[in-house]
Amino acid sequence: MTKHDFEIAAIEEKKTLHDVMAHVRAFGEAAPEAAGIIHWGATSCYVTDNADLIFLRDGLGILLPKLAAVIQKLSDFAQRYKALPCLGYTHGQPAQLVTVGKRACLWIQNLLMDLRNLERMKEDLRFRGVKGTVGTQASFLQIFAGDHAKVEKLDEIVTEKAGFSSAFAISSQTYTRKVDLDIGHALSSFGATCQQMGGDIRHLAMSKQMEEPFAKDQIGSSAMAYKRNPMRSERMCSLGRELCTLSLNNVNTFANQWLERSLDDSAVRRSTLPEMFLLADALMILLDNISSGLVVYPAVIQRKIDEELPFMATENLIMAMVDKGASRQEAHEHIRVLSHEAADQVKNHGNNNDLLERVKKDPFFQPILEDLSKLLDPTTFIGRAPQQVDNFIGDGGEVPLALQRYRAQIASAKASELHV
């Protein structure tokens, strides 16, 4: 094929308003002796649907190693911060402590599910093959004078040459649009993961506990020079939302196919499928860029802990007092009164949480004063978070097993750059 051949096809398509026949004529001019048998027994979907299946397979093959590289980078991040305590949040409010690395594993777990979804889509993908106008292979049976074995052999050869291990045993004029629907769902699920992770990073950036990368000369705002806007995560949320939305086109296209085929699927698929893969690829670039340079601010995290830990430690204080022989109910009442007084200072006066100072001044708690440091050690509030991280991303864990097949691509992967 030369540029001239494509120019001829463009001229023919303008006349015929049929993309496949335009190329059939262009090929006929390029190979006159074969012109009479080009497209013999075939239908347009023999060309376009089989080509689409190749695109889908190869597109998934491009995305998967990129996703694996992101998971590896986030795993390295999780390992680095597996034991750094930080506030957990439920209902948008401070909860018990977790660790920075453990929280990153929540993102990794979701991305692992996306990896498996996309792998499953790629592995389950089959070729349409040589099926004729409505899927019965009637035209090819006629070509081979009723020899069913030859028709089946042709189907097998074409499928193998296209790089597929199997073809659909049953098809209509098209491969079932359920394929597009399922792949679209897997891609939109990945888009939702990106939105969720981007939202987490944006919330943490609001409190200055963590930030996405921020280049030396990057400008956050044209007006407010001090700003460090999380534009990468915001863009990730925006594109993820669009990827989720596009999936509905595949749902409606599949649901509205009539009998052996109707052409209302064609135009929307030509825009939706490429757009979904381009969006997923853009999200991979953003994910890689962000995960290559996440910034953590331990001092800010510790300050946040210090503001809330006294309240979280009240149960520990009560338990320690009981160990020293005090009444559990009496200890509870003392803590309740002091906690409310401290909360009043924080909420109504804007002061720091002074619960511990109040505990130290209350003679009731004298028996445990020398144990306060131990009772308030943040590392005693994180449970098995570091061990969970090790079990998840360490040797023999779920993450390295899932990434095993991508080791060569991960080793050669470079950090993605953003240019706008």
Side-chain angles (χ1 to χ4, degrees), residues 232-264:
R232 294 165 172 81
S233 300
E234 290 173 327
R235 186 180 300 176
M236 190 161 70
C237 290
S238 179
L239 295 180
R241 187 181 310 142
E242 175 66 3
L243 182 51
C244 291
T245 302
L246 281 177
S247 182
L248 188 59
N249 287 341
N250 297 322
V251 174
N252 288 326
T253 297
F254 167 68
N256 285 284
Q257 282 298 284
W258 298 352
L259 306 174
E260 276 65 51
R261 196 269 173 103
S262 56
L263 195 60
D264 61 325

Side-chain angles (χ1 to χ4, degrees), residues 60 113-114 116-119 121 180-193 243 247 276:
L60 291 169
M113 294 174 71
D114 294 317
R116 290 179 185 128
N117 287 342
L118 296 176
E119 285 176 340
M121 291 300 101
D180 299 344
L181 186 156
D182 286 348
I183 291 177
H185 278 335
L187 291 173
S188 68
S189 180
F190 168 66
T193 298
L243 182 51
S247 182
M276 293 192 79

Side-chain angles (χ1 to χ4, degrees), residues 96-351:
Q96 291 296 311
L97 300 188
V98 294
T99 69
V100 173
K102 167 66 164 51
R103 177 177 285 141
C105 285
L106 297 177
W107 303 333
I108 295 169
Q109 181 169 252
N110 293 332
L111 290 169
L112 271 186
M113 294 174 71
D114 294 317
L115 186 76
R116 290 179 185 128
N117 287 342
L118 296 176
E119 285 176 340
R120 191 178 304 117
M121 291 300 101
K122 185 173 183 290
E123 291 163 3
D124 289 351
L125 205 56
R126 288 182 281 173
F127 206 47
R128 179 184 179 270
V130 180
K131 297 298 192 295
T133 54
V134 290
T136 64
Q137 299 177 304
S139 57
F140 295 101
L141 190 62
Q142 184 175 355
I143 289 173
F144 290 118
D147 191 327
H148 291 268
K150 287 184 177 180
V151 175
E152 291 178 2
K153 188 62 178 178
L154 176 64
D155 201 3
E156 179 184 323
I157 291 172
V158 173
T159 297
E160 183 178 338
K161 284 183 176 293
F164 286 79
S165 59
S166 64
F168 285 105
I170 299 295
S171 79
S172 60
Q173 188 173 90
T174 68
Y175 68 80
T176 172
R177 298 309 183 217
K178 187 85 169 176
V179 172
D180 299 344
L181 186 156
D182 286 348
I183 291 177
H185 278 335
L187 291 173
S188 68
S189 180
F190 168 66
T193 298
C194 293
Q195 285 191 76
Q196 191 275 328
M197 178 178 168
D200 277 356
I201 295 172
R202 291 162 67 193
H203 278 99
L204 293 168
M206 288 171 64
S207 59
K208 297 180 174 59
Q209 297 182 64
M210 178 189 290
E211 287 182 344
E212 64 180 36
F214 196 89
K216 177 179 178 293
D217 297 319
Q218 183 176 331
I219 296 174
S221 168
S222 62
M224 295 167 279
Y226 61 88
K227 292 196 74 178
R228 296 169 67 91
N229 297 340
M231 64 88 171
R232 294 165 172 81
S233 300
E234 290 173 327
R235 186 180 300 176
M236 190 161 70
C237 290
S238 179
L239 295 180
R241 187 181 310 142
E242 175 66 3
L243 182 51
C244 291
T245 302
L246 281 177
S247 182
L248 188 59
N249 287 341
N250 297 322
V251 174
N252 288 326
T253 297
F254 167 68
N256 285 284
Q257 282 298 284
W258 298 352
L259 306 174
E260 276 65 51
R261 196 269 173 103
S262 56
L263 195 60
D264 61 325
D265 70 330
S266 181
V268 68
R269 291 179 65 254
R270 293 185 189 209
S271 63
T272 297
L273 294 178
E275 283 178 27
M276 293 192 79
F277 275 86
L278 289 171
L279 283 166
D281 193 59
L283 287 166
M284 294 293 181
I285 293 172
L286 286 165
L287 270 175
D288 186 83
N289 182 268
I290 292 170
S291 60
S292 296
L294 281 171
V295 181
V296 176
Y297 296 108
V300 177
I301 291 173
Q302 185 60 52
R303 187 175 74 240
K304 295 291 182 183
I305 291 175
D306 291 342
E307 291 172 354
E308 303 293 340
L309 190 59
F311 291 138
M312 297 178 189
T314 54
E315 183 66 19
N316 286 15
L317 300 182
I318 293 172
M319 297 292 288
M321 285 299 297
V322 173
D323 284 342
K324 297 291 186 179
S327 163
R328 188 265 177 199
Q329 277 59 251
E330 190 175 356
H332 182 279
E333 180 60 18
H334 276 268
I335 284 291
R336 185 189 69 81
V337 172
L338 296 180
S339 295
H340 282 245
E341 291 173 354
D344 178 71
Q345 289 296 312
V346 172
K347 295 177 180 178
N348 292 321
H349 302 283
N351 295 327

